Amino acid sequence: MSCTIPNDSLTLTIPEACRYMRVSRSTIYNLAKAGKLPIRKVVGRSLILRSDIHSLLGVGG
């Protein structure tokens, strides 16, 4: 299943963040546990801010 992530989306779900960063779920959770990538719970959904991913990776945007 191919799913694109809209460029204007401010948040990503865990699976979207995995595809966006090209890493596994466990890597996302390990980064969160280490305090490097905050995961926010909103109405029962786990979301990651795109800006937090960019900060982690050291890229603009």
Side-chain angles (χ1 to χ4, degrees):
M1 176 174 90
S2 177
C3 180
T4 60
I5 302 163
N7 286 336
D8 61 347
S9 176
L10 297 176
T11 60
L12 303 173
T13 63
I14 301 296
E16 289 172 338
C18 291
R19 286 192 304 273
Y20 187 69
M21 295 175 64
R22 297 182 181 186
V23 299
S24 67
R25 272 179 94 84
S26 61
T27 298
I28 296 287
Y29 286 114
N30 287 336
L31 288 167
K33 186 176 179 180
K36 295 180 180 181
L37 187 63
I39 296 177
R40 292 159 170 83
K41 290 290 253 185
V42 179
V43 192
R45 295 182 73 195
S46 298
L47 300 173
I48 299 172
L49 293 178
R50 185 182 294 261
S51 60
D52 288 338
I53 293 172
H54 288 178
S55 294
L56 174 71
L57 299 177
V59 296

